[in-house]
Amino acid sequence: MNVIFIMNDTFRRDHLGCYGNAWIQTPNLDGFAQRAAVFEQFYAASYPTVPNRWDLATGRFGFPFRGWQPLSPGDMTWGQILSANSVHTQMIWDTPMLAMHDYNYTRGFGGLGFVHSQKGDPWITDPTLDIQLGAQPHKIRNIPGLQGYLRNHAARQFDREFCIGRGMSEAMDWLETNYNQESFFLYIDMWDPHEPFDCPWYDYALYADPDYDGDQMLYPEYGRPTYMTEAEAAHLRALYAGNVTLTDRWVGAFLDLAERLGLFKNTLIIWASDHGHLFGDHDLQGKPGAELGKLYEVTIRIPLLIHHPEGLGAGERVRGIVQPPDILPSILDFLGISTPSHIQGASFLPLMTGDAAKIRDYAFSSRFPPSAGTTGYTPVEGAAFDGWVGSDRNVEPSTITDDEWAYLCAPQGMPSELYNLKTDPDQKHNVVDAHPDVAERMRNAWIEFLTNHGAPETRIRPFQDANVEVHTPTSGTVYAFRDDQVNGSLSPLRDRRDVLRIKTMRRDRSGRFKR
């Protein structure tokens, strides 16, 4: 028996047809969903990218005590556990930080395949390339990162040379030569549709205004979306939708090959994402932190599709809260391998068989604040890959979710929010003042969870007692972005016109920018 786990970063649940979307083309994943169990209550735990991978790799909840950081020497990973049980383990990825800068998320895998070209991958360094940002610098989240990405793709011509095409092609090549391994675990980690939101012109054209002539914001700034016009916001949504369709096409190609090789008969196939992305939802853009770092449903309720070779849950909607630490024990359960005692997640296979209605009462979703203190973690590490974008002295609200309520639990002295998901699934009406008993129950559950999962006192105390040292002001002006980052420099601009002089570029049908 085999397991294939496919991760597509930043894939919004509500952008899939099988989860109710009617305007974005995702025929391959929708077709897969007809043969898979569609999980309705899969929630992010540690947030965002690298903390999520720690939860997946270890089967534990990291956010109580660790942030965006490398594996620790004592961390036992899924690669190690499965390899020790005679399963061939293979990791194919393009998410660069999983192995760069000693992050070590490749630990334990018997085979490795890194795919070049993503943002953050220092692959092409040719200084003579003419790199055009495509948008005014104050609208770009990470100028050096975007410049590096554009260098990596300066010579691109074909669909297969986009990041997801490169990654899934590598995975398909591996599958075609290794499908008959006695037992294998193939972990595919692709950063698409994460920004830069770059896709072939024909995918973008499915959703774009053909007359749009504004900035090409492949890598938009996080925070309040007030720096964009309505046309720019629509363009950005079209770019992302195009990336979703591009991703769907290549995941579909991989799944088609898996079926031709007969792997649907003996392989557990899991497809998931790690978090969503805000496009003006709740008046937020991207995945901002600090004062703006609230985790709503659109960010933390994520897609999870699972094909079981015996047809368990096929075509069904599976309810019951599930989180990333539950993935590893479920894989072990499927393979008949005993679950080590240190793993905190639980197998969700009983939800698929109907033997259990739930495996947990709450979902806990959070980002570890640097101000809480930990060994070796600084905001600079995460900021390099958008892992931390807020104040290093701010404790963000964390979200507790059950079958009815979502509680955005803020530190004492800061406003919390409460939403009834049955009557208000879009979270438009904060009813925290009307239901203090629910808020208190969920805050107590949050504090108990932190206490039982190794959180230091500095992590817990802000939710019990007001502590001005970890608070930023709750009133006044909050600046969501800065416009002094030209060519990666943090030096102040001599003249606002320095930003406005940047020429807006448009892409032609080859995907290249033109004036």
Side-chain angles (χ1 to χ4, degrees):
M1 303 295 275
N2 314 303
V3 177
I4 297 172
F5 180 84
I6 304 171
M7 165 65 71
N8 282 117
D9 201 293
T10 316
F11 203 119
R12 279 181 57 146
R13 177 182 184 273
D14 62 358
H15 278 47
L16 273 169
C18 60
Y19 283 108
N21 188 279
W23 67 280
I24 299 175
Q25 297 181 22
T26 54
N28 297 288
L29 285 168
D30 294 341
F32 179 64
Q34 294 176 6
R35 307 169 61 184
V38 179
F39 282 72
E40 294 281 17
Q41 295 174 279
F42 184 45
Y43 283 91
S46 301
Y47 174 85
T49 302
V50 167
N52 166 270
R53 301 318 192 272
W54 192 87
D55 289 4
L56 288 170
T58 65
R60 297 171 60 82
F61 291 88
F63 65 76
F65 61 92
R66 73 189 321 277
W68 182 294
Q69 61 195 85
L71 281 175
S72 299
D75 291 336
M76 180 66 69
T77 71
W78 51 3
Q80 291 171 291
I81 295 170
L82 292 168
S83 293
N85 283 275
S86 302
V87 177
H88 176 77
T89 54
Q90 179 77 24
M91 177 176 172
I92 296 173
W93 79 104
D94 71 3
T95 311
M97 74 290 296
L98 297 185
M100 289 175 57
H101 310 305
D102 300 320
Y103 269 50
N104 300 323
Y105 283 83
T106 56
R107 180 185 299 168
F109 281 88
L112 299 172
F114 175 58
V115 182
H116 278 296
S117 78
Q118 268 291 3
K119 191 271 291 186
D121 174 18
W123 180 36
I124 304 297
T125 59
D126 183 354
T128 66
L129 294 173
D130 181 23
I131 300 302
Q132 303 289 347
L133 295 178
Q136 299 171 74
H138 73 283
K139 298 178 181 179
I140 299 172
R141 170 80 198 106
N142 184 328
I143 291 174
L146 179 57
Q147 290 171 326
Y149 174 86
L150 293 173
R151 277 194 294 270
N152 287 345
H153 289 267
R156 185 185 64 212
Q157 297 184 59
F158 307 112
D159 184 278
R160 64 177 179 272
E161 294 178 293
F162 282 82
C163 296
I164 187 69
R166 289 176 177 273
M168 297 313 288
S169 293
E170 176 90 3
M172 291 164 70
D173 289 349
W174 183 90
L175 198 65
E176 199 155 12
T177 54
N178 287 269
Y179 72 95
N180 56 357
Q181 293 266 5
E182 185 173 343
S183 179
F184 69 78
F185 171 56
L186 173 59
Y187 167 35
I188 305 169
D189 199 306
M190 298 288 105
W191 214 3
D192 280 327
H194 188 288
E195 68 265 49
F197 300 135
D198 188 21
C199 62
W201 69 267
Y202 39 82
D203 291 321
Y204 169 66
L206 292 172
Y207 314 105
D209 178 354
D211 297 324
Y212 178 74
D213 194 28
D215 281 356
Q216 297 282 329
M217 290 178 292
L218 304 187
Y219 202 169
E221 181 58 274
Y222 294 173
R224 298 294 187 197
T226 50
Y227 64 92
M228 288 185 283
T229 66
E230 290 185 11
E232 288 173 335
H235 154 75
L236 185 55
R237 289 191 294 270
L239 273 178
Y240 178 74
N243 273 267
V244 165
T245 294
L246 169 66
T247 299
D248 174 82
R249 181 165 62 253
W250 279 99
V251 172
F254 174 87
L255 293 174
D256 286 347
L257 176 61
E259 182 161 30
R260 290 196 299 274
L261 295 173
L263 291 173
F264 273 64
K265 299 176 182 178
N266 62 1
T267 304
L268 186 74
I269 303 176
I270 306 172
W271 179 86
S273 188
D274 56 351
H275 56 74
H277 191 94
L278 296 150
F279 292 96
D281 314 83
H282 304 284
D283 197 26
L284 296 170
Q285 170 60 44
K287 48 182 189 287
E291 294 84 355
L292 305 181
K294 299 175 181 179
L295 300 178
Y296 294 99
E297 286 273 292
V298 70
T299 306
I300 59 171
R301 191 175 181 184
I302 45 182
L304 176 64
L305 308 177
I306 301 179
H307 167 81
H308 193 287
E310 296 176 8
L312 299 183
E316 298 179 5
R317 320 295 290 196
V318 177
R319 294 198 61 82
I321 291 171
V322 172
Q323 297 203 262
D326 301 323
I327 297 288
L328 175 54
S330 302
I331 291 173
L332 297 176
D333 188 4
F334 171 76
L335 293 174
I337 299 171
S338 60
T339 300
S341 59
H342 69 274
I343 287 180
Q344 297 167 338
S347 172
F348 49 64
L349 293 190
L351 298 178
M352 298 175 67
T353 61
D355 292 332
K358 63 169 59 178
I359 59 173
R360 56 180 72 254
D361 294 324
Y362 297 101
F364 298 95
S365 308
S366 187
R367 172 160 40 191
F368 184 88
S371 59
T374 186
T375 56
Y377 174 51
T378 65
V380 173
E381 285 186 6
F385 295 103
D386 299 335
W388 181 259
V389 295
S391 166
D392 64 1
R393 65 187 182 91
N394 183 276
V395 177
E396 299 176 1
S398 298
T399 300
I400 302 92
T401 312
D402 66 13
D403 290 334
E404 183 174 5
W405 301 95
Y407 177 53
L408 280 65
C409 181
Q412 293 287 0
M414 299 179 72
S416 295
E417 300 175 20
L418 180 69
Y419 300 93
N420 188 310
L421 298 177
K422 292 185 176 180
T423 61
D424 182 25
D426 295 328
Q427 298 179 289
K428 295 183 181 295
H429 306 289
N430 178 12
V431 294
V432 68
D433 293 336
H435 298 277
D437 54 331
V438 175
E440 182 179 8
R441 168 175 64 84
M442 299 185 86
R443 180 178 290 267
N444 290 338
W446 168 240
I447 293 171
E448 181 181 6
F449 183 88
L450 290 176
T451 302
N452 293 339
H453 288 76
E457 180 187 1
T458 50
R459 178 78 163 107
I460 302 172
R461 193 172 64 246
F463 297 97
Q464 297 174 312
D465 303 302
N467 182 349
V468 296
E469 292 181 359
V470 297
H471 291 171
T472 48
T474 58
S475 61
T477 301
V478 175
Y479 293 96
F481 66 88
R482 57 194 303 172
D483 64 1
D484 56 358
Q485 299 186 37
V486 177
N487 295 326
S489 171
L490 294 179
S491 60
L493 293 173
R494 292 189 300 274
D495 191 321
R496 172 70 176 177
R497 288 172 296 177
D498 289 350
V499 167
L500 301 181
R501 286 193 194 108
I502 300 296
K503 288 181 167 48
T504 298
M505 310 298 292
R506 299 186 66 195
R507 287 189 297 173
D508 59 23
R509 291 198 167 194
S510 70
R512 296 185 177 87
F513 288 104
K514 66 179 181 179
R515 296 186 186 278

